[in-house]
Amino acid sequence: MPKPSVLLILEGTYPFNGGGVSTWAHHLCNKVGNIDFKLYSINASFEKETKYKLSSNISEVIQVPLWTPDEPYDYISYGEEYYKTVAKKEWTTDAVVEQKFIPLFKSLLEFIYSEDQQIEDLDIIFHQLWFYFEDYDFKETMRNKHVWLTYRDILARFIIGERNPDASLIDITVGLRWIYRFLIPLAIVNIPRVDIAHLTLSGFPLIPALIANYKYGTKIMLTEHGVFIRERLLAINKSEYPYFLKSLLIRFSEAIARLAYYKSDVIISVTTFNQKWEKWYGADPKKFKVIYNGIDPEVFKPGPKPSHLKNVPTVVALARVFELKDILTMIRSCAVVKNTIPNVQYMVYGDDTAVPDYTRECLQLIEELGLQDNFKFMGPRNNPQEIFLEGDISILTSISEGFPYTVIESMSCGIPVVSTDVGGVKEALDESCGFTCKPKDAEEIGSYVAKLLLDEDLRKNMGKSAREKVLNNFTLNKFIREYEDVYKDMMKAEGSKAKLTKIKDFN
């Protein structure tokens, strides 16, 4: 009898990139028993090699590069016969696009800009878009003149008077380009038949799960780490995009998030914090379940501090260097600590090349504050269990998180933590294990770092409590057992919203 199959759908993470979601996915695919995993990995560019050694539980990896100069199928074969690929291009005539696609495209744009949205209608729109691209070519369709004319006319109806007098031609063109890229997974219709499509965020990677649902009746489940729509709003509001592009991106993202919650049979959060956002966007609380991230306490365990750091007050961080981790505030907290502990060392382990402009901004601030001898970027390492032991404490200064592995990994090593109060941090880190602070408050963060570095007894007591809390609540065995139970329950449950009860005429 074949094993139950799961299509694990990811974006910018496993198995080609590191980070917390990748750690979560690697644990899931390696440890959950009796499941055939297939990975659907959406990335910005084409990745040649995986970052992780893949488990024998993974039978297939489908990679979809969204932002390459060419189309994904110019890099990768998705199993469609050549004759059908050629035929789809030939069938995609001007008349076909105008008669069959334009009504659907128009309805999608109207939904994005409508203030009276019925999420069932968006489900029907995507169902019919999938049905269309089963027969017709994506690129030939989207570059057709009728698509541009329809897009232009819809915008003229909806954005006039909406603070867009200066929306330029380039802005409007970029908006259509975004829509084109977000919808690219509709071009990849050869989705493997699986029992469950498991989403790792409530964003545009929903599209392959929808195709599996429409095509095979596949059930959909979602694990929400950091809330997609919350992090999208934070990024958009901080961006320098003009109002028109911000509005388009927010509206489309919100519509997709609502559809993800509507279509998912189970919505798992890594923290209860996520659930208030999910409810705001229409998720049914009856679908909610919390499964905390788990780690192996036999790998992350207390040990001696390296001899070369014995007498050096040391703060360690495991963090990819980009905006959400707010490394700038971490640097400013180091300046606060240096006032009372001149030889303090902050060591940040993680990719510092992913966002070069942000790294340059960080290096500039380090120089401005005279912290060249105190704050170091150490680059990525593969031994986090040893890295935490280099520190007297660890630090996290993110402005958004789900349930960060770095907190519970540090706690399991008996290292107390100073962290911003974001996401589910407080569900792991209470006053017996470390300190939580307001995001972006370098003074408060620095004062707690200094307090811990100056009080050895406090550090030891907090480290012991932190280890005990992990053993009682956040072990890998508990994490795996709970996911195995969810998969089993989904396999037994009745089918999800695969059959649409109505077909809407968008003409």
Side-chain angles (χ1 to χ4, degrees), residues 1-5 34-36 195 491:
M1 185 174 179
K3 292 193 227 178
S5 53
N34 198 40
I35 294 289
D36 171 26
D195 299 301
M491 293 296 296

Side-chain angles (χ1 to χ4, degrees), residues 451-462:
K451 181 180 177 70
L452 273 170
L453 290 177
L454 293 169
D455 192 333
E456 184 177 0
D457 289 339
L458 180 62
R459 288 200 311 273
K460 286 182 178 179
N461 290 334
M462 282 190 163

